[in-house]
Amino acid sequence: MVILSVRSSHIRCYVALFLSITGVIIYRHLSGQGRERMRLSRSEGLSVNSSQFSLGGEPFRLLGGELHYFRVPRAYWMDRMMKMKACGINTLTTSVPWNLHQPERGEFKFRGDLDLELFLFQAAEVGLWVILRPGPYIGSELDLGGLPSWLLSDRRMKLRTTYPGFVEAVDVFFDKLIPKMVPLQFKKGGPIIAVQIENEYGSFAMDSDYMPFLKEALESRGITELLLTADSHEGLKRGGVNGALRTLNLRKLNYDDLKFLEAVQPNSPMLVMEYWSGWFDGWGSLHHNFPPEDMIAAVREALRRGISINLHMFHGGTNFGFMSGAVANPSYKAVVTSYDYDAPLSEAGDYTPKYHLLRDLFSRYSNEHLPDMLTLRWKENYEAAIMYQHLSLWDALPFTPEPFKSRTPINMENLPVNNRNGQAFGYTLYETTITTGGYLKSGNHIRDRALVFVDRSFIGLFDYTSVELAVPNGKEKRTLSFLVENCGRVHAGPHLDHQHKGIVGDIYLNKVHLRDFTIYSLEMTQSFIESLYRAPWRSLPSKPSFPGFFQGRLFVDGYPSDSFVKMLGWTKGVIFINGQNLGRYWDTGPQQALYLPGPFLNSGINQVIVFEEEDADFKVLFEDAPDLGMTIDIQ
């Protein structure tokens, strides 16, 4: 593996210049595949014949795997790609999260761990073709399916339709994104061989003009490669658009599904765009396990039938920060921090039995000798970090944005913060005054979970099942506080327009609605965590209050290695290492340890900050193996 000492921006400039002059990309010579690619004609991209695909005029079997750059530290992109290549994968599929790239109207992020161009350059260097899934909606178990929450500040918003407010926002985003992708298409010398239009629109299908609008939006901006749509069986008819190849999403290779696709789209090769190699997990459930023998049997049968296949996921990665979504049916359940997905390559990039079975199978369908497998990275069992300082939530409030006063509760998306783009993630604190006790009812207006306090003393919890609390009696003025967490917006289904978070309606005390709120935004951004250096921390073991922040130190001797953070004795909260949000932990499981990539650590002293809601052990453990909890087999 070549380590470049120039900046990534320089790499982009050099590669773009080379593309414009020669129309080809120089690939690394992994088993001679660079020379093979040089011989491919670039005048004809991925094409559909009556029974097979062709690429550059040559027959092509797509052996794909999904890898999300935003779920993997940039320092590990090449590692994961080379492991894909060594397994026999020839095509990398990736989605583009609009909400991460455009966190505010007019603000775009395409650097660091969101440097999509560099990611695609690296895929080309390794020798992987690319299928790009630019959305705008991508699903993928992300908050709001990857759509930015500021869209919901428009109360009339109709997501995934041709509603003017949505169309205008999509156009602005595509005006930034697509020109970056156009030079990286196959016929221009790049790795992109196909582009997917939206994702599983057939299961939504609220607007017959929407998919044609997106197709035109891509083509008018210069996309000339093969266009795809992807749906499960029930969505195949409604999710397609003329001029785009329909593909199938599934886990079991059902004969009826294949016949249905053949009937909807005759005389075309078949592509399983998402072959689900595992599944995601929700808090309070079990870790999903898809037996390797069941997975490999379906993949083997697909290849025997001449079907091309893309494994979703090949490597899942991690829902760092607050990016994870939620499901609504049969009831609300938030997605855990790990996106291991029981994929062939584990969350930490380790080989699994699925990987070895796939490598053996794919080697029979490869035109070249597969590269050697990379040596795995060392995992470290670091000494525990002992928390030595504490900061109460209330003492941290001066370091939040200026609080907002409102007669009625205001949901997160409509708060006047972030240049009036509202609050996307994290917590919001609502405070008002009361002069009596009695019965407090949420009216089911808490989204998604609230700790409730009277004069900073905890009295109970509101969520989707707990909607009533008793408030202690008292005639003097007291402060009633609601610390509300956005646990994740639903990422799929018919009600995306209604995923507002915070307090979304009236709360009642003795059947009288509460009024006159002071509202604090607690997004837990890196800049906020860094600002807490100036806060009035108190030394432990003085009795801490909850919720609160706890600070400790992790010492790394030598070059940092990956590890797993075990929050044994803690209840629920978020952990930050050197200001980086690793994600949520919760003793309800199934996940019991959070993945800590080595690139997030420094040699020497590392700062550990934990935001804990309820109770703490004051010690953070670091182990050398993952713990995703008790498992359940997927049927």
Side-chain angles (χ1 to χ4, degrees), residues 108-338:
F108 298 92
K109 294 185 176 181
F110 287 95
R111 294 291 182 265
D113 286 346
L114 294 174
D115 195 335
L116 176 56
E117 290 168 283
L118 180 62
F119 180 78
L120 299 183
F121 292 152
Q122 290 186 353
E125 184 183 2
V126 169
L128 293 167
W129 304 117
V130 171
I131 296 179
L132 187 72
R133 310 174 86 178
Y137 165 86
I138 61 173
S140 192
E141 289 71 63
L142 286 181
D143 184 278
L144 203 60
L147 298 173
S149 63
W150 47 259
L151 291 168
L152 299 179
S153 62
D154 178 353
R155 293 288 186 176
R156 297 172 296 176
M157 176 58 65
K158 298 185 186 306
L159 301 175
R160 304 180 74 188
T161 71
T162 52
Y163 173 74
F166 187 69
V167 166
E168 179 183 353
V170 170
D171 281 336
V172 170
F173 178 55
F174 274 11
D175 282 345
K176 287 289 185 181
L177 171 66
I178 302 305
K180 295 176 182 293
M181 302 295 100
V182 167
L184 297 174
Q185 296 180 99
F186 177 87
K187 289 193 285 287
K188 294 183 180 293
I192 298 175
I193 60 173
V195 176
Q196 182 178 307
I197 306 173
E198 237 258 3
N199 189 45
E200 294 188 320
Y201 194 68
S203 63
F204 190 81
M206 300 291 185
D207 186 338
S208 60
D209 295 326
Y210 177 61
M211 293 294 279
F213 153 69
L214 288 180
K215 180 173 181 286
E216 194 277 334
L218 293 170
E219 291 178 333
S220 65
R221 289 170 173 83
I223 295 298
T224 59
E225 302 299 336
L226 180 68
L227 295 177
L228 311 170
T229 61
D231 286 283
S232 54
H233 180 131
E234 60 272 14
L236 275 174
K237 280 189 176 180
R238 298 191 304 166
V241 60
N242 290 337
L245 181 73
R246 287 171 167 86
T247 68
L248 192 59
N249 296 344
L250 50 76
R251 173 173 293 109
K252 293 185 178 180
L253 204 64
N254 188 298
Y255 180 73
D256 291 338
D257 291 343
L258 301 180
K259 290 296 290 182
F260 186 71
L261 176 57
E262 188 176 30
V264 172
Q265 184 175 260
N267 301 317
S268 289
M270 287 190 182
L271 168 60
V272 177
M273 187 60 195
E274 288 188 11
Y275 176 73
W276 301 318
S277 63
W279 204 241
F280 62 91
D281 300 332
W283 290 115
S285 62
L286 298 173
H287 173 53
H288 290 88
N289 176 70
F290 186 40
E293 58 273 18
D294 292 348
M295 183 209 73
I296 203 67
V299 175
R300 183 185 296 112
E301 178 62 15
L303 298 182
R304 189 189 68 80
R305 291 171 177 261
I307 299 171
S308 287
I309 196 165
N310 178 64
L311 286 106
H312 179 96
M313 300 291 297
F314 184 83
H315 172 56
T318 309
N319 293 313
F320 294 115
F322 298 119
M323 73 168 71
S324 55
V327 295
N329 293 316
S331 59
Y332 177 88
K333 191 177 292 292
V335 175
V336 304
T337 299
S338 170

Side-chain angles (χ1 to χ4, degrees), residues 6 8 30 34 46 141 144 147 152 251 315 320 334 346 358 379 421 441 504 532 582 625-626:
V6 294
S8 62
L30 298 174
L46 186 64
E141 289 71 63
L144 203 60
L147 298 173
L152 299 179
R251 173 173 293 109
H315 172 56
F320 294 115
S346 78
L358 284 170
K379 311 297 188 298
N421 285 275
K441 294 187 177 181
V504 300
L532 295 183
L582 291 191

